[in-house]
Amino acid sequence: RIREGFVADLVLFDPAAVIDRSTFAEPFREAVGVRKVWVNGELVWDSRPTGALPGRKLPSLPVHSVR
């Protein structure tokens, strides 16, 4: 459920329009078709970055080799 006071990250996109334009030569090219992104309820992408940085770094987990 999406409710006021709850923590959530949301993405508003058109699945028919989302295109990943990155390549090995240009790995940082932005995808298209994502209209808005909210992190912790704060708008961070509105067809371009808004400058808001409400997220926090998650602790990394140790990587275990698989045999």
Side-chain angles (χ1 to χ4, degrees):
R1 293 184 195 155
I2 301 170
R3 292 180 30 186
E4 188 173 340
F6 282 41
V7 176
D9 299 340
L10 303 171
V11 179
L12 175 64
F13 65 96
D14 177 354
V18 173
I19 300 171
D20 180 7
R21 300 182 311 149
S22 66
T23 65
F24 284 106
E26 296 180 274
F28 299 106
R29 288 187 70 186
E30 293 177 357
V32 295
V34 175
R35 297 187 52 176
K36 296 181 186 271
V37 177
W38 293 266
V39 174
N40 290 336
E42 189 169 339
L43 187 63
V44 298
W45 181 266
D46 192 359
S47 299
R48 65 176 188 241
T50 64
L53 299 170
R56 61 183 172 89
K57 182 179 185 259
L58 298 175
S60 59
L61 299 173
V63 177
H64 299 284
S65 62
V66 177
R67 291 183 182 201

